[in-house]
Amino acid sequence: MGARCDVAVVGAGPAGCAAAIALKRLGVASVLLLEAGDGARPRFGESLPPDIRLILAQLGLAEAFAALGFDPCVGAASSWGEDGLGYNDFLFNPHGLGWHIDRARFDAFLRDAALAAGAALRFDTVFDSVVMTGDAARLRVRGERGDETITAGFVLDATGRAARVARALGAERIESDRLVCAAALIRIDPDGLLGQRSLLEAVDYGWWYAARLSPDEAIVVVSTDADLLRARRLHRPDAWYGHLAATRHVAAALGTAAPPSQLMVRQARSSRLSRAADQRWRAIGDAASVYDPIMAQGVTKAMIEGLAAARDIVRHMPDAEEGLDARFADYLSLRDYFYGQEGRWPDAPFWARRRRPQPAVRTLWEVSA
């Protein structure tokens, strides 16, 4: 017969877990989280802004999160639009400081919280297809139990930019750039110059980001366009490290860091779905829309959308997506304004493209950069 549940959440990242926790706190009887992997996929470390406290508090997780002991983030330093560094500190933020987090630990914390709230979780369960009927959604999945049909009153697509449920229902991804990121974990001197601030440095082919995750380890990321990544061989550790060594501020802050043995290369294209909800399904987080990492909103946005979706489901407004286009348009305006503040390389392809944004296009579903 297969399982039955009130809400099936496909994807157990921050968006899916936030939705599952919120649904249980709002009294939904049965919530099933389906995760295609085993929870061990490498993730970028990153910084969370101070206002994440508000979301964690609404989910009842503020104290438990604080107990994890992630290093504080006191703000950001950036070389953007000028050669020197400017500072944006959290010292006077009403919500306090931010954090530098280990994403693997953070995601595991959210999954554990979803289980503690009463949601069920299945790892290694791959979504295959879905059929919508008048009163339910029937999901075909593959996992340890073999092929199975799960019947749910509602489905949340939290599968990231792959948007597997939405795609199966005919939605398309509309993309507006070709940004990719190549990241590495770097061993650093605990007494080095990279302190508790995130560090951002623009270069002619994109921008670099660095943040300390622990006393002797930092996440370092270069963001550029896919063609520029290939042309400069930034997907290869030796070339990536050579470009890093040529930076002014990031290289100085890292000191005599050793070259990485491997890189994580991920798409970071700004995009949204052509359709993100209907009466019995809704996409949340990166499945619905993806923001440029320069905005530093990935986890926060995902959890906000998971929380909002849970509330709408309980209020019987599950397809309330009328604000998606407006929110994405606002985001694009803010992104373009931010990139427009950097004018040192007006003829460099990366920056010229962002002064003259290309029209949004519906694209094929690509896996590689």
Side-chain angles (χ1 to χ4, degrees):
M1 284 287 294
R4 289 180 172 270
C5 59
D6 293 315
V7 181
V9 184
V10 187
C17 286
I21 295 165
L23 286 164
K24 292 303 297 183
R25 287 173 62 87
L26 290 167
V28 175
S30 56
V31 178
L32 177 59
L33 272 167
L34 303 172
E35 173 58 41
D38 60 2
R41 181 190 179 196
R43 301 283 186 180
F44 291 170
E46 57 191 275
S47 301
L48 295 183
D51 55 4
I52 195 76
R53 280 183 170 86
L54 300 176
I55 304 165
L56 292 168
Q58 292 179 66
L59 295 171
L61 302 179
E63 292 185 6
F65 172 78
L68 294 176
F70 287 125
D71 287 344
C73 174
V74 301
S78 61
S79 173
W80 195 275
E82 57 185 24
D83 294 336
L85 286 175
Y87 296 89
N88 178 24
D89 288 338
F90 296 147
L91 297 178
F92 300 105
N93 190 294
H95 303 301
L97 302 179
W99 290 274
H100 297 302
I101 65 166
D102 176 336
R103 269 297 300 275
R105 283 183 63 207
F106 181 73
D107 286 5
F109 162 73
L110 291 179
R111 291 193 299 267
D112 289 344
L115 288 171
L121 170 61
R122 291 193 197 177
F123 286 113
D124 298 314
T125 303
V126 179
F127 168 83
D128 271 344
S129 61
V130 61
V131 174
M132 295 294 176
T133 66
D135 59 352
R138 303 189 189 283
L139 290 82
R140 192 70 176 169
V141 300
R142 291 178 286 111
E144 294 180 352
R145 308 182 189 192
D147 291 348
E148 182 183 3
T149 297
I150 295 173
T151 302
F154 196 86
V155 181
L156 285 175
D157 184 348
T159 59
R161 66 173 59 247
R164 300 189 186 282
V165 177
R167 287 173 57 196
L169 292 167
E172 296 179 277
R173 178 72 69 187
I174 301 172
E175 299 182 336
S176 63
D177 59 51
R178 294 292 183 269
L179 192 73
V180 293
C181 296
L185 295 175
I186 297 289
R187 307 297 294 183
I188 60 173
D189 182 352
D191 298 321
L193 297 177
L194 186 62
Q196 294 181 324
R197 290 186 179 89
S198 301
L199 180 58
L200 184 69
E201 180 175 352
V203 290
D204 63 323
Y205 52 89
W207 49 273
W208 286 85
Y209 167 88
R212 187 191 293 270
L213 298 181
S214 68
D216 60 356
E217 187 176 60
I219 180 74
V220 184
V221 186
V222 63
S223 297
T224 186
D225 287 334
D227 60 330
L228 303 178
L229 178 105
R230 289 189 291 268
R232 291 175 175 266
R233 301 171 65 83
L234 286 166
H235 56 296
R236 298 185 177 275
D238 55 345
W240 183 94
Y241 187 75
H243 282 76
L244 170 62
T247 62
R248 176 179 180 180
H249 300 287
V250 175
L254 296 175
T256 56
S261 59
Q262 61 181 356
L263 299 174
M264 295 177 285
V265 180
R266 300 284 188 269
Q267 293 184 17
R269 303 170 179 178
S270 298
S271 64
R272 64 176 178 85
L273 287 179
S274 59
R275 183 168 60 102
D278 209 331
Q279 286 299 312
R280 295 206 172 275
W281 70 275
R282 180 163 167 174
I284 55 177
D286 282 355
S289 61
V290 181
Y291 290 2
D292 192 304
I294 199 70
M295 309 303 294
Q297 293 185 25
V299 171
T300 303
K301 169 186 172 295
M303 296 181 69
I304 287 174
E305 292 183 3
L307 184 58
R311 289 171 173 166
D312 286 344
I313 290 169
V314 171
R315 294 169 182 165
H316 303 290
M317 299 188 302
D319 61 341
E321 66 157 340
E322 63 276 1
L324 177 64
D325 288 349
R327 290 195 303 273
F328 194 75
D330 289 344
Y331 148 69
L332 288 177
S333 295
L334 186 59
R335 182 203 63 177
D336 293 347
Y337 170 80
F338 193 78
Y339 275 117
Q341 301 307 298
E342 177 53 79
R344 286 177 288 175
W345 305 281
D347 298 323
F350 181 87
W351 299 101
R353 291 166 184 169
R354 281 149 181 82
R355 289 199 315 276
R356 298 184 298 273
Q358 299 300 306
V361 295
R362 300 175 194 267
T363 68
L364 297 176
W365 290 89
E366 299 152 307
V367 175
S368 64

